[in-house]
Short mmCIF file of all heavy atoms in Angstrom, two decimals:
data_model
loop_
_atom_site.label_atom_id
_atom_site.label_comp_id
_atom_site.label_asym_id
_atom_site.label_seq_id
_atom_site.Cartn_x
_atom_site.Cartn_y
_atom_site.Cartn_z
N ARG A 1 99.97 106.18 70.66
CA ARG A 1 98.85 105.48 70.01
C ARG A 1 97.47 105.99 70.52
O ARG A 1 96.52 105.95 69.68
CB ARG A 1 98.94 103.93 70.31
CG ARG A 1 100.05 103.24 69.60
CD ARG A 1 99.81 101.74 69.71
NE ARG A 1 99.91 101.24 71.05
CZ ARG A 1 101.04 100.87 71.67
NH1 ARG A 1 102.19 100.96 71.05
NH2 ARG A 1 100.99 100.42 72.89
N ALA A 2 97.45 106.53 71.69
CA ALA A 2 96.18 107.17 72.22
C ALA A 2 95.85 108.43 71.58
O ALA A 2 94.74 108.91 71.65
CB ALA A 2 96.26 107.23 73.71
N GLY A 3 96.89 109.09 70.95
CA GLY A 3 96.68 110.33 70.24
C GLY A 3 97.44 111.51 70.79
O GLY A 3 97.38 112.63 70.30
N PHE A 4 98.29 111.28 71.87
CA PHE A 4 99.09 112.39 72.36
C PHE A 4 100.23 112.65 71.44
O PHE A 4 100.75 111.75 70.75
CB PHE A 4 99.60 111.98 73.78
CG PHE A 4 98.61 112.02 74.89
CD1 PHE A 4 97.87 110.81 75.22
CD2 PHE A 4 98.31 113.18 75.52
CE1 PHE A 4 96.88 110.87 76.23
CE2 PHE A 4 97.32 113.25 76.51
CZ PHE A 4 96.53 112.07 76.80
N ARG A 5 100.67 113.92 71.46
CA ARG A 5 101.75 114.28 70.69
C ARG A 5 102.90 114.94 71.57
O ARG A 5 102.61 115.27 72.77
CB ARG A 5 101.45 115.32 69.56
CG ARG A 5 100.41 114.69 68.52
CD ARG A 5 101.17 113.53 67.80
NE ARG A 5 100.21 112.81 66.87
CZ ARG A 5 99.63 111.63 67.14
NH1 ARG A 5 99.85 111.09 68.29
NH2 ARG A 5 98.90 111.16 66.24
N GLU A 6 104.02 115.20 71.04
CA GLU A 6 105.21 115.71 71.83
C GLU A 6 105.42 114.92 73.13
O GLU A 6 105.54 115.42 74.15
CB GLU A 6 104.89 117.24 72.22
CG GLU A 6 104.77 118.13 70.95
CD GLU A 6 104.59 119.53 71.40
OE1 GLU A 6 104.98 119.94 72.46
OE2 GLU A 6 103.86 120.25 70.62
N VAL A 7 105.36 113.61 72.95
CA VAL A 7 105.46 112.67 74.08
C VAL A 7 106.90 112.48 74.50
O VAL A 7 107.80 112.31 73.62
CB VAL A 7 104.78 111.35 73.75
CG1 VAL A 7 104.99 110.34 74.92
CG2 VAL A 7 103.37 111.41 73.38
N SER A 8 107.16 112.61 75.78
CA SER A 8 108.46 112.22 76.32
C SER A 8 108.24 111.21 77.47
O SER A 8 107.32 111.43 78.29
CB SER A 8 109.22 113.45 76.86
OG SER A 8 108.55 114.01 77.95
N ALA A 9 109.11 110.28 77.50
CA ALA A 9 108.94 109.23 78.54
C ALA A 9 110.39 108.85 79.06
O ALA A 9 111.27 108.58 78.25
CB ALA A 9 108.26 108.00 78.03
N ARG A 10 110.58 108.85 80.39
CA ARG A 10 111.88 108.49 80.91
C ARG A 10 111.79 107.75 82.19
O ARG A 10 110.76 107.85 82.88
CB ARG A 10 112.69 109.85 81.09
CG ARG A 10 112.12 110.74 82.14
CD ARG A 10 112.82 112.12 82.13
NE ARG A 10 112.46 112.95 83.27
CZ ARG A 10 111.35 113.76 83.33
NH1 ARG A 10 110.47 113.69 82.31
NH2 ARG A 10 111.13 114.51 84.36
N ASP A 11 112.79 107.06 82.45
CA ASP A 11 112.90 106.30 83.70
C ASP A 11 113.28 107.24 84.83
O ASP A 11 114.19 108.10 84.69
CB ASP A 11 113.96 105.18 83.64
CG ASP A 11 113.59 104.01 82.73
OD1 ASP A 11 112.38 103.78 82.60
OD2 ASP A 11 114.45 103.46 82.21
N VAL A 12 112.71 107.10 85.98
CA VAL A 12 113.13 107.72 87.26
C VAL A 12 113.11 106.68 88.34
O VAL A 12 112.62 105.60 88.18
CB VAL A 12 112.22 108.93 87.57
CG1 VAL A 12 112.37 110.06 86.58
CG2 VAL A 12 110.78 108.55 87.72
N TRP A 13 113.63 106.98 89.47
CA TRP A 13 113.73 106.07 90.58
C TRP A 13 113.15 106.55 91.82
O TRP A 13 113.20 107.73 92.15
CB TRP A 13 115.16 105.72 90.79
CG TRP A 13 115.77 104.81 89.73
CD1 TRP A 13 116.29 105.17 88.63
CD2 TRP A 13 115.86 103.42 89.76
NE1 TRP A 13 116.67 104.13 87.82
CE2 TRP A 13 116.44 103.08 88.51
CE3 TRP A 13 115.46 102.44 90.64
CZ2 TRP A 13 116.65 101.65 88.21
CZ3 TRP A 13 115.67 101.09 90.35
CH2 TRP A 13 116.31 100.74 89.12
N LEU A 14 112.39 105.72 92.52
CA LEU A 14 111.85 105.98 93.88
C LEU A 14 112.77 105.28 94.89
O LEU A 14 112.99 104.09 94.75
CB LEU A 14 110.37 105.45 93.99
CG LEU A 14 109.74 105.54 95.35
CD1 LEU A 14 109.65 106.89 95.82
CD2 LEU A 14 108.37 104.85 95.33
N GLU A 15 113.16 106.08 95.85
CA GLU A 15 114.06 105.51 96.89
C GLU A 15 113.46 105.86 98.29
O GLU A 15 112.93 106.98 98.44
CB GLU A 15 115.48 106.09 96.75
CG GLU A 15 116.28 105.68 95.57
CD GLU A 15 117.70 106.10 95.76
OE1 GLU A 15 118.07 106.82 96.64
OE2 GLU A 15 118.51 105.72 94.81
N HIS A 16 113.59 104.91 99.19
CA HIS A 16 113.22 105.16 100.56
C HIS A 16 114.16 104.25 101.48
O HIS A 16 114.31 103.09 101.14
CB HIS A 16 111.68 104.80 100.74
CG HIS A 16 111.23 105.18 102.10
ND1 HIS A 16 110.80 106.46 102.35
CD2 HIS A 16 111.15 104.50 103.28
CE1 HIS A 16 110.42 106.54 103.71
NE2 HIS A 16 110.59 105.38 104.18
N ARG A 17 114.57 104.91 102.50
CA ARG A 17 115.51 104.12 103.42
C ARG A 17 114.68 103.75 104.66
O ARG A 17 114.06 104.58 105.36
CB ARG A 17 116.64 104.98 103.81
CG ARG A 17 117.59 104.20 104.77
CD ARG A 17 118.92 104.99 104.95
NE ARG A 17 119.67 105.24 103.73
CZ ARG A 17 120.51 104.25 103.24
NH1 ARG A 17 120.67 103.10 103.91
NH2 ARG A 17 121.22 104.59 102.15
N PHE A 18 114.59 102.42 104.91
CA PHE A 18 113.93 101.86 106.01
C PHE A 18 114.89 101.43 107.13
O PHE A 18 116.16 101.43 106.90
CB PHE A 18 113.14 100.61 105.58
CG PHE A 18 111.97 100.81 104.71
CD1 PHE A 18 112.08 100.77 103.27
CD2 PHE A 18 110.71 101.21 105.19
CE1 PHE A 18 111.01 100.95 102.42
CE2 PHE A 18 109.63 101.43 104.32
CZ PHE A 18 109.75 101.25 103.01
N ILE A 19 114.30 101.11 108.27
CA ILE A 19 115.02 100.36 109.30
C ILE A 19 114.18 99.10 109.47
O ILE A 19 113.02 99.05 108.98
CB ILE A 19 115.23 101.11 110.56
CG1 ILE A 19 113.83 101.50 111.16
CG2 ILE A 19 116.18 102.35 110.33
CD1 ILE A 19 114.03 102.20 112.51
N PRO A 20 114.67 98.11 110.13
CA PRO A 20 113.83 96.88 110.31
C PRO A 20 112.44 97.16 110.82
O PRO A 20 111.38 96.61 110.32
CB PRO A 20 114.60 95.97 111.23
CG PRO A 20 116.04 96.39 110.99
CD PRO A 20 115.99 97.88 110.72
N GLU A 21 112.30 97.92 111.84
CA GLU A 21 111.00 98.17 112.48
C GLU A 21 110.02 98.93 111.48
O GLU A 21 108.88 98.62 111.41
CB GLU A 21 111.14 99.01 113.77
CG GLU A 21 111.83 98.26 114.87
CD GLU A 21 113.31 98.24 114.79
OE1 GLU A 21 113.85 98.83 113.84
OE2 GLU A 21 113.90 97.52 115.57
N SER A 22 110.57 99.94 110.78
CA SER A 22 109.60 100.69 109.90
C SER A 22 109.27 99.85 108.65
O SER A 22 108.09 100.02 108.24
CB SER A 22 110.31 101.99 109.44
OG SER A 22 111.50 101.73 108.58
N TYR A 23 110.14 98.98 108.24
CA TYR A 23 109.78 98.20 107.11
C TYR A 23 108.72 97.16 107.59
O TYR A 23 107.79 96.84 106.82
CB TYR A 23 110.96 97.40 106.41
CG TYR A 23 110.54 96.75 105.17
CD1 TYR A 23 110.16 97.56 104.03
CD2 TYR A 23 110.48 95.35 105.04
CE1 TYR A 23 109.65 96.85 102.93
CE2 TYR A 23 110.06 94.73 103.89
CZ TYR A 23 109.65 95.53 102.84
OH TYR A 23 109.16 94.94 101.70
N LEU A 24 108.91 96.56 108.68
CA LEU A 24 107.96 95.57 109.10
C LEU A 24 106.60 96.14 109.44
O LEU A 24 105.55 95.57 109.17
CB LEU A 24 108.44 94.79 110.43
CG LEU A 24 107.63 93.71 110.94
CD1 LEU A 24 107.42 92.58 109.82
CD2 LEU A 24 108.25 93.08 112.14
N ASP A 25 106.61 97.41 109.92
CA ASP A 25 105.24 98.14 110.07
C ASP A 25 104.59 98.27 108.69
O ASP A 25 103.33 98.02 108.62
CB ASP A 25 105.57 99.51 110.67
CG ASP A 25 105.86 99.46 112.12
OD1 ASP A 25 105.61 98.41 112.81
OD2 ASP A 25 106.38 100.46 112.69
N LEU A 26 105.37 98.62 107.73
CA LEU A 26 104.66 98.67 106.37
C LEU A 26 104.24 97.38 105.82
O LEU A 26 103.13 97.30 105.19
CB LEU A 26 105.77 99.29 105.35
CG LEU A 26 105.35 99.48 103.94
CD1 LEU A 26 104.19 100.55 103.82
CD2 LEU A 26 106.48 99.78 103.01
N VAL A 27 105.00 96.33 106.03
CA VAL A 27 104.60 94.94 105.72
C VAL A 27 103.26 94.52 106.41
O VAL A 27 102.36 94.09 105.81
CB VAL A 27 105.66 93.88 106.02
CG1 VAL A 27 105.08 92.53 105.87
CG2 VAL A 27 106.84 94.15 105.10
N GLU A 28 103.29 94.83 107.71
CA GLU A 28 102.06 94.49 108.46
C GLU A 28 100.79 95.29 108.04
O GLU A 28 99.68 94.69 107.98
CB GLU A 28 102.29 94.68 110.03
CG GLU A 28 101.09 94.30 110.83
CD GLU A 28 101.41 94.50 112.34
OE1 GLU A 28 102.51 94.73 112.71
OE2 GLU A 28 100.47 94.25 113.11
N HIS A 29 100.88 96.56 107.79
CA HIS A 29 99.84 97.40 107.60
C HIS A 29 99.44 97.64 106.11
O HIS A 29 98.33 98.12 105.79
CB HIS A 29 100.04 98.76 108.30
CG HIS A 29 100.08 98.66 109.83
ND1 HIS A 29 99.02 98.30 110.62
CD2 HIS A 29 101.11 98.60 110.63
CE1 HIS A 29 99.36 98.35 111.88
NE2 HIS A 29 100.68 98.46 111.90
N TRP A 30 100.34 97.29 105.19
CA TRP A 30 100.02 97.58 103.81
C TRP A 30 100.42 96.31 102.96
O TRP A 30 99.55 95.78 102.34
CB TRP A 30 100.70 98.78 103.32
CG TRP A 30 100.36 99.09 101.90
CD1 TRP A 30 101.10 99.04 100.83
CD2 TRP A 30 99.03 99.46 101.47
NE1 TRP A 30 100.39 99.32 99.65
CE2 TRP A 30 99.15 99.56 100.04
CE3 TRP A 30 97.76 99.70 102.11
CZ2 TRP A 30 97.98 99.92 99.27
CZ3 TRP A 30 96.73 99.99 101.30
CH2 TRP A 30 96.86 100.18 99.88
N ILE A 31 101.73 96.01 102.84
CA ILE A 31 102.15 95.04 101.84
C ILE A 31 101.63 93.68 101.98
O ILE A 31 101.02 93.07 101.10
CB ILE A 31 103.70 94.95 101.75
CG1 ILE A 31 104.33 96.36 101.44
CG2 ILE A 31 104.16 93.85 100.71
CD1 ILE A 31 105.81 96.36 101.48
N ASP A 32 101.68 93.16 103.25
CA ASP A 32 101.07 91.83 103.57
C ASP A 32 100.03 91.87 104.67
O ASP A 32 100.06 91.05 105.50
CB ASP A 32 102.29 90.89 103.96
CG ASP A 32 103.10 90.43 102.82
OD1 ASP A 32 102.51 89.85 101.81
OD2 ASP A 32 104.30 90.65 102.79
N ARG A 33 99.20 92.92 104.57
CA ARG A 33 98.21 93.03 105.51
C ARG A 33 97.27 91.81 105.56
O ARG A 33 96.73 91.47 106.68
CB ARG A 33 97.40 94.34 105.24
CG ARG A 33 96.69 94.31 103.88
CD ARG A 33 96.04 95.65 103.60
NE ARG A 33 95.39 95.69 102.29
CZ ARG A 33 95.97 96.01 101.21
NH1 ARG A 33 97.24 96.46 101.20
NH2 ARG A 33 95.41 95.99 100.04
N GLU A 34 97.02 91.19 104.43
CA GLU A 34 96.24 89.98 104.42
C GLU A 34 96.81 88.86 105.25
O GLU A 34 96.00 88.09 105.89
CB GLU A 34 95.96 89.52 102.97
CG GLU A 34 95.24 90.50 102.07
CD GLU A 34 96.09 91.42 101.33
OE1 GLU A 34 97.38 91.46 101.66
OE2 GLU A 34 95.72 92.05 100.37
N VAL A 35 98.05 88.74 105.27
CA VAL A 35 98.75 87.71 106.09
C VAL A 35 98.41 87.92 107.57
O VAL A 35 97.92 87.06 108.33
CB VAL A 35 100.25 87.72 105.89
CG1 VAL A 35 100.96 86.72 106.87
CG2 VAL A 35 100.55 87.26 104.45
N PHE A 36 98.67 89.23 108.04
CA PHE A 36 98.45 89.51 109.40
C PHE A 36 96.95 89.44 109.89
O PHE A 36 96.69 89.05 110.97
CB PHE A 36 99.09 90.88 109.78
CG PHE A 36 100.55 90.86 109.88
CD1 PHE A 36 101.34 91.11 108.81
CD2 PHE A 36 101.09 90.67 111.19
CE1 PHE A 36 102.71 91.04 108.89
CE2 PHE A 36 102.45 90.74 111.25
CZ PHE A 36 103.31 90.88 110.20
N ALA A 37 96.09 89.68 108.88
CA ALA A 37 94.63 89.64 109.16
C ALA A 37 94.16 88.22 109.47
O ALA A 37 93.15 88.07 110.14
CB ALA A 37 93.86 90.21 108.00
N THR A 38 94.88 87.22 108.99
CA THR A 38 94.52 85.80 109.25
C THR A 38 94.96 85.25 110.59
O THR A 38 94.65 84.19 110.99
CB THR A 38 95.00 84.88 108.09
OG1 THR A 38 96.46 84.91 108.14
CG2 THR A 38 94.62 85.31 106.69
#
């Protein structure tokens, strides 16, 4: 609709393997940083 031609679109997947400590670090510093800031 924007005007592009020869358009292809496909699903892909992002995967990452965490451990409890590494996931909680991500939660604290990025995902739920607002929670920890309070």
Side-chain angles (χ1 to χ4, degrees):
R1 286 194 298 272
F4 287 94
R5 297 296 177 261
E6 299 180 31
V7 175
S8 67
R10 65 191 189 278
D11 292 331
V12 294
W13 287 84
L14 172 60
E15 292 189 354
H16 188 85
R17 187 172 292 278
F18 292 96
I19 60 174
E21 292 79 6
S22 66
Y23 187 67
L24 185 56
D25 285 343
L26 181 66
V27 169
E28 178 177 357
H29 296 286
W30 182 250
I31 297 175
D32 283 304
R33 59 186 180 270
E34 295 93 346
V35 172
F36 283 88
T38 65

